[in-house]
Amino acid sequence: KIYKCWLCYKNKKIFIYLKHAICRAEQSLTYQVMRKISPEEASFLKDPTLNARLRFRFSGESFPPLIVYKIFINANVQYLSGITEITAGSVAARDACELMG
């Protein structure tokens, strides 16, 4: 029982340390952290027109948790849909059907 309490205490301390480390990384080292995780997506953070932010979260059902990230873009972005942009019977529609099956 003492060992179980010790593990619980240790896991709580590790969780608090991870939480503080993630908060510090979000506030100051976003580009450096993202460059090591995914260099392609780090370019979004460098682009001043997108005004992108990086948020880290914990995920998973067991300890230690997985650390996941999400990039938020605070720009005027217009989302396109293939249904409205590709007209039926066009070359683009035929090529899309061949590629997707």
Side-chain angles (χ1 to χ4, degrees):
K1 185 172 178 162
I2 294 173
Y3 181 71
K4 191 173 183 180
C5 289
W6 171 250
L7 283 179
C8 183
Y9 171 78
K10 187 176 74 167
N11 288 344
K12 285 180 184 178
K13 288 293 185 182
I14 291 172
F15 181 80
I16 290 170
Y17 175 74
L18 286 173
K19 185 174 79 168
H20 288 298
I22 285 177
C23 288
R24 282 193 307 263
E26 280 182 358
Q27 293 172 2
S28 61
L29 302 171
T30 54
Y31 178 71
Q32 290 84 0
V33 171
M34 196 62 193
R35 191 179 62 197
K36 294 195 185 283
I37 295 172
S38 176
E40 297 87 21
E41 293 178 358
S43 63
F44 290 126
L45 297 175
K46 273 295 211 193
D47 190 359
T49 60
L50 293 178
N51 194 14
R53 284 185 308 136
L54 182 66
R55 294 293 223 163
F56 292 104
R57 296 286 180 257
F58 292 127
S59 176
E61 297 178 7
S62 62
F63 192 83
L66 298 172
I67 299 174
V68 295
Y69 66 90
K70 187 173 186 178
I71 298 176
F72 290 95
I73 299 174
N74 294 332
N76 189 7
V77 179
Q78 181 180 5
Y79 294 99
L80 303 176
S81 172
I83 294 173
T84 59
E85 299 298 321
I86 299 175
T87 57
S90 68
V91 176
R94 186 178 66 238
D95 290 342
C97 288
E98 288 175 6
L99 286 173
M100 292 187 266

